[in-house]
Every structure is written in C-alpha cells, then in structure tokens.
C-alpha cells in the first residue's frame, strides 16, 4: 500500500502548478509540513517489513527531493512573473514620505562651527566618559571643589583615596582642551604648533530636569594658545562671533566673573536683539542677554598640561548650544529639545 501511494505521488509531482506565491505556500504545506503527505508516509514507514525498508526508504527520499525541487521551481517562476508584471517608472518619486529636518540643536551647532572655522579654528573631539584628571584636575579644580560632589556630577566609579582616578560623565568639554594641550607640546613645554580649536559635544550634570535645566546638554568650547595672546584678541573674536550669529548691529559687554580654569574671567552679554537694547520682557528690561563665559587660560592649567606658561598664553570660551538656540528661536522649554515631538521639530524645516 505505501509503495502504491509513493508511486501515485511521484506521478503528481510534475503536474503541480501554482499561479502565485500563496498557492506555492499551500503546496508546501500540503506535502512538506509536519502534517503533510511526506510526514504521513514516514509514520507509515514504521509498519513496513524489515526486508522492504531500504527500498521504501529510498523511494520516500526520492519523492521528498522531487517535491522540494518542484516547489522551488514554482516559487522562482511566480516571483519572476510578479516582478515582470510591475510597471517600474525609474523617474517616479519612490512613494510618499514626509521629509524630516535637522534638529534645531544641530542647526545651531553647525552654524557656530562654521563661524569659528572661518576664523581659523579646527574641530576637536574627546570621550564623553572621562577621567577626573582631564575633567577637573588639569582644569585647576581644587580637590574639594563642589563639582566633584555626587550632587553635581554623574560618577561611573570613585576612588576616595585618589580623586584623579575617578571615572565620570564629563561635565564640560574642557576635558577635550586638556587632551589637546597634552598632545601639542614637547618635553620642555614648547608648543609643536599654535592651538586653535573648538570642542562641541554633549555634557552631563546631575541636575533636576525643568523648563530651564536638564541632566544633559550641549556645549561648544574654544581654545587658542600661542605666544603673546591677549584679552583683546579674545574680545575681538567674540565680537565677530556675536555679529555673525545675531546680526551686524549686535553689541557685547564683558562682566568680571570667576572660573577655575581662566584668570581673568568674564561673562559675555549681547545687546538684546528683540528690543535693540532698549529693554523688554525677554531681556528682563536690562537691554542685555548673557550667552557665554570666557577668559584667559589660567597659568596653572597650562603648567598642568605641560605647556610653559611663561612663554605662552591663551584664551578660552564656552557656550551652551541650548542657550544660543533658545535665543535665536525663543524656545520656552528646554525639555522640548529631547522629547522628539515631531510637531516641534517640523517647525525648523525653514531654518535649514
């Protein structure tokens, strides 16, 4: 009986036909699935007398192979037929896709990079997971500075006996400046070339998330070190940047401030571009809006990074990209930059 059934199925193999992929799949299920014809034959094979098992087994294998080959032929034929029936217009737009836009932070970061690149600054980058040595120690932070506290910084690992070995998420991109200064000097403290870099990137601080603050944000910092660099050079570079970014009529003012890594240090304000410096709600009726911090690189920082502070001087500045973006586009809530709300992002299509 089993031999007759096998021969019957062998006669049917060449007659199998299918019009589409769905019918091919139905044939596969009929013959090759767990409940298909081949499986039933294998179940009946257990009742075949021992002297016939070899012959019957060979026929079952032959049947399975021929059915598999036939189904594969039908699958290829139906695939070719379906593809051939399509009328392909290579000049046609693929299909309706809503075009996206660059993120507003990316738009502003690229604009900042472009402005400073035209003034001779080159890009520099560094790791976001950093060691204390480059984030704090070489930036002239005292060992007991509050920034080294768990309330201010995200630590990956801590070493109470040697804070320079702490591993943390960088709280500013000044760590990139430290690495650049390490690489750009000889053993006797001489620069191999003047340093003129900008360091954009994401930074992290352990702060409560509100409309005005976030636990991560983006910075662009700049550094210029050479012989006879003065505060006047810094002021002129920042004035040129402000006028390129906010308009040719923009004015700046520098207010004394304090940073561990610069001396003297200053906060830079720009004249309010909403009211033209006359005073409005946006600038809190002062006529000025703060945008960045800056100063001359502290000699201790130069020495910590292996550069002779008696021969070289330099300036540094740093700004928050979110701050600049808020000023340009008047975004009321800082959290909107990281919520991925497409309705918000679509507003910046024209800004590209």
């Amino acid at each position: 009986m089993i031999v007759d059934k096998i021969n019957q199925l062998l006669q049917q193999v060449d007659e199998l036909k299918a019009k589409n992929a769905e019918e091919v799949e139905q044939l596969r299920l009929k013959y090759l699935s767990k409940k298909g014809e081949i499986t039933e034959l294998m179940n009946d094979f257990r009742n075949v007398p021992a002297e016939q098992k070899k012959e019957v087994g060979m026929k079952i294998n032959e049947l399975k192979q021929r059915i598999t080959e036939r189904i594969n032929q039908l699958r290829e034929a139906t695939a070719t037929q379906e593809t051939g029936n399509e009328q392909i217009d290579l000049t046609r737009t693929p299909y309706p896709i809503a075009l996206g836009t660059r993120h507003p932070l990316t738009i502003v970061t690229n604009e900042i990079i472009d402005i400073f690149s035209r003034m001779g600054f080159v890009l520099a980058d560094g790791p976001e997971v950093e060691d204390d040595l480059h984030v704090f120690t070489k930036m002239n932070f005292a060992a007991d500075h509050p920034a080294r506290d768990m309330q201010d910084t995200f630590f990956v690992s801590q070493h109470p006996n040697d804070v320079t070995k702490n591993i943390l998420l960088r709280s500013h991109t000044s760590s990139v400046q430290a690495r650049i200064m390490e690489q750009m000097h000889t053993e006797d403290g001489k620069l191999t070339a003047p340093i003129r870099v900008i360091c954009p990137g994401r930074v992290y601080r352990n702060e409560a998330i509100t409309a005005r603050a976030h636990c991560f944000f983006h910075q662009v910092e700049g550094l210029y070190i050479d012989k006879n660099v003065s505060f006047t050079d810094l002021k002129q570079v920042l004035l040129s940047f402000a006028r390129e970014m906010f308009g040719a009529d923009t004015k700046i003012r520098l207010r004394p401030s304090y940073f561990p890594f610069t001396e003297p240090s200053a906060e830079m304000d720009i004249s309010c571009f909403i009211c033209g410096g006359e005073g409005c709600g946006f600038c809190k009726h002062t006529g000025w809006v703060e945008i960045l911090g800056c100063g001359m690189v502290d000699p201790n920082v130069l020495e910590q990074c292996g550069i002779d502070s008696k021969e070289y001087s330099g300036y540094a500045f740093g700004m928050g990209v979110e701050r600049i973006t808020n000023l340009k586009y008047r975004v009321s809530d800082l959290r909107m930059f990281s919520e991925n709300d497409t309705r918000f992002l679509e507003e910046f299509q024209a800004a590209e």
Side-chain angles (χ1 to χ4, degrees):
M1 294 292 293
I2 188 172
V3 175
D4 293 340
K5 187 173 182 180
I6 293 173
N7 290 331
Q8 183 181 0
L9 290 173
L10 283 170
Q11 293 177 0
Q12 296 176 4
V13 170
D14 294 333
E15 299 176 0
L16 296 179
K17 296 180 180 180
K19 297 180 180 179
N20 50 50
E22 184 178 349
E23 292 185 2
V24 173
E25 180 64 12
Q26 291 299 322
L27 290 174
R28 187 191 69 81
L29 293 174
K30 178 180 178 180
Y31 291 102
L32 300 176
S33 67
K34 291 182 179 180
K35 297 182 180 181
E37 298 284 359
I38 299 297
T39 302
E40 288 185 9
L41 289 173
M42 294 302 295
N43 291 335
D44 295 340
F45 182 71
R46 291 175 292 185
N47 302 323
V48 175
E51 65 273 11
Q52 298 180 12
K53 280 187 179 293
K54 181 177 180 180
E55 180 184 356
V56 174
M58 292 175 64
K59 281 186 170 293
I60 293 175
N61 287 334
E62 179 188 358
L63 174 63
K64 182 178 180 180
Q65 183 177 354
R66 287 184 59 184
I67 290 176
T68 302
E69 291 176 354
R70 182 56 180 166
I71 289 176
N72 287 337
Q73 291 173 359
L74 292 172
R75 182 179 289 115
E76 292 177 4
T78 54
T80 303
Q81 182 179 3
E82 290 175 0
T83 303
N85 289 336
E86 292 182 2
Q87 295 181 353
I88 300 176
D89 180 1
L90 298 180
T91 65
R92 185 186 63 185
T93 302
Y95 49 86
I97 297 179
L99 295 178
T101 178
R102 288 180 297 164
H103 195 280
L105 296 180
T106 302
I107 296 172
V108 173
T109 299
N110 289 343
E111 189 173 354
I112 295 171
I113 291 172
D114 176 66
I115 293 171
F116 284 108
S117 295
R118 285 187 272 117
M119 289 191 278
F121 288 80
V122 297
L123 281 175
D125 193 15
E128 293 184 12
V129 181
E130 260 288 11
D131 55 35
D132 180 289
L133 183 66
H134 292 91
V135 176
F136 294 133
T137 302
K138 295 202 171 189
M139 288 292 109
N140 203 35
F141 282 77
D144 58 352
H145 193 281
R148 283 186 160 105
D149 192 87
M150 285 295 290
Q151 274 70 47
D152 293 320
T153 306
F154 290 107
F155 285 92
V156 177
S157 65
Q158 287 188 293
H159 299 268
N161 297 328
D162 186 358
V163 295
T164 62
K165 295 181 179 179
N166 289 341
I167 304 299
L168 60 141
L169 302 181
R170 66 184 182 188
S171 57
H172 50 197
T173 55
S174 301
S175 56
V176 182
Q177 298 182 20
R179 290 186 176 274
I180 293 297
M181 286 188 279
E182 285 179 340
Q183 299 168 8
M184 297 291 291
H185 68 80
T186 60
E187 293 184 0
D188 59 354
K190 306 292 185 181
L191 284 180
T192 55
I195 298 173
R196 193 194 297 259
V197 296
I198 50 173
C199 316
R202 183 180 297 180
V203 298
Y204 306 83
R205 294 181 190 174
N206 191 7
E207 298 184 5
I209 299 175
T210 67
R212 299 177 61 85
H214 211 293
C215 61
F216 71 87
F217 56 99
H218 300 78
Q219 280 188 334
V220 175
E221 294 195 18
L223 175 69
Y224 176 41
I225 298 177
D226 200 357
K227 295 181 179 180
N228 302 317
V229 177
S230 68
F231 202 95
T232 302
D233 299 324
L234 170 62
K235 182 178 179 181
Q236 187 58 46
V237 163
L238 295 181
L239 176 61
S240 299
F241 163 73
R243 288 179 173 173
E244 286 280 342
M245 178 63 72
F246 298 104
D249 296 330
T250 304
K251 299 180 177 61
I252 68 169
R253 72 175 183 182
L254 298 172
R255 295 178 287 106
S257 185
Y258 168 76
F259 302 109
F261 33 81
T262 53
E263 180 60 38
S265 303
E267 301 278 2
M268 190 182 96
D269 304 330
I270 61 169
S271 55
C272 180
F273 50 87
I274 303 297
C275 64
E278 296 181 3
C280 65
F282 184 75
C283 61
K284 298 179 182 179
H285 301 283
T286 64
W288 298 94
V289 182
E290 178 187 329
I291 66 165
L292 59 82
C294 60
M296 300 300 293
V297 179
D298 193 298
N300 290 335
V301 173
L302 296 175
E303 296 292 341
Q304 285 275 4
C305 295
I307 297 174
D308 186 354
S309 63
K310 296 180 181 178
E311 184 172 355
Y312 299 96
S313 59
Y315 60 72
F317 55 84
M319 67 192 78
V321 178
E322 282 83 350
R323 176 71 171 168
I324 303 298
T325 308
N326 278 343
L327 292 176
K328 283 185 68 69
Y329 302 123
R330 302 181 70 177
V331 178
S332 59
D333 192 332
L334 197 70
R335 293 168 292 192
M336 297 177 73
F337 291 128
S338 55
E339 289 177 345
N340 295 323
D341 188 333
T342 56
R343 295 170 300 176
F344 168 70
L345 299 177
E346 286 170 357
E347 295 180 12
F348 295 89
Q349 289 182 350
E352 297 189 66

